[in-house]
Amino acid sequence: HSFSVRVSFMQIYQERIYDLLNPAGMVGMLGGRPPKPGEDNAANLRLRWDAMKGLFTVENLFEFECGSFEEVLDHYAAGVQNKQVASTAMNDQSSRSHTILLLTLTRRTEDNVRTDCGVADELGSGAHINAASSCREVMSNLALVDLAGSERAAATAGREDGAARLK
C-alpha cells in the first residue's frame, strides 16, 4: 500500500475564486483590494464542469503533495496569511468570504496476479509463470469549508452583547 495526500486552498470573495497557495495569484488580487465590478483579474480562477469525472473543478488551482500532517498545516497557515480580510464593527479580522481547504487522499494497492501462460520456460518445466501487476487506486476528497458570516455592522455597532446578530 502507498498513500499520498494533496492539499489546495481557495477563497471565494465577491463571487470570484482565488488560489490562496499561489503567490503569483495573490499579487493579482490587485494590491490587497478586491477587483471592481467588470475589472478583469488574472488571479480570478474559473469553475468548470468536468464531464469525465462528473464534478466541478477549479481551473489552475495549485495542489501540493504533502508528506506529513505538518506540511498540510504549513500550507494551511500560508493560505490563511493570504486571505482577504477587512474589519467590521463586530470583528477586526472579518474574512467576508468563503474559504475551502481541499484534501485529497489517495491509496494505491498493487495486486500481484500470477497466471499460467502454458508456455515452456528455458528450463523445460512445461509451465511459465508470468507475474503481472494491477494497480488499484482509491481516492477520497475532504473539503473543509469556512463560510462567511452574516455580520450586520450597522445593526451591531456600539452593542456589546451582539443581540442584533442573533435575531
Side-chain angles (χ1 to χ4, degrees):
H1 297 285
S2 67
F3 293 90
S4 70
V5 177
R6 295 186 315 271
V7 63
S8 55
F9 198 14
M10 71 181 95
Q11 178 178 32
I12 303 170
Y13 185 67
Q14 295 189 345
E15 298 183 20
R16 294 173 184 254
I17 302 171
Y18 299 96
D19 189 338
L20 294 175
L21 298 180
N22 180 353
M26 302 325 299
V27 171
M29 285 182 94
L30 305 170
R33 70 168 174 80
K36 295 175 183 168
E39 185 175 35
D40 190 25
N41 183 2
N44 184 29
L45 302 177
R46 294 177 185 226
L47 186 65
R48 297 281 188 207
W49 173 252
D50 186 333
M52 297 293 290
K53 294 180 182 177
L55 51 87
F56 284 97
T57 59
V58 177
E59 277 185 345
N60 301 319
L61 183 66
F62 272 35
E63 190 172 55
F64 291 92
E65 187 152 350
C66 299
S68 68
F69 178 68
E70 289 76 20
E71 280 186 59
V72 172
L73 287 179
D74 288 346
H75 287 296
Y76 171 74
V80 167
Q81 292 297 314
N82 291 327
K83 251 174 58 167
Q84 284 282 40
V85 294
S87 68
T88 66
M90 287 181 58
N91 187 350
D92 286 341
Q93 293 293 307
S94 175
S95 67
R96 295 182 172 176
S97 67
H98 309 299
T99 55
I100 304 170
L101 180 72
L102 296 171
L103 298 169
T104 303
L105 173 66
T106 305
R107 182 184 70 161
R108 290 177 193 85
T109 57
E110 197 169 310
D111 299 323
N112 288 326
V113 179
R114 297 197 176 274
T115 58
D116 185 335
C117 298
V119 177
D121 63 8
E122 291 180 16
L123 299 175
S125 67
H128 178 71
I129 305 297
N130 181 24
S133 64
S134 65
C135 185
R136 181 175 175 209
E137 254 186 22
V138 177
M139 187 180 299
S140 300
N141 293 305
L142 175 65
L144 302 173
V145 180
D146 179 14
L147 297 175
S150 60
E151 299 166 348
R152 296 181 191 178
T156 58
R159 296 191 67 168
E160 293 180 23
D161 63 352
R165 178 175 52 118
L166 302 175
K167 286 185 179 178

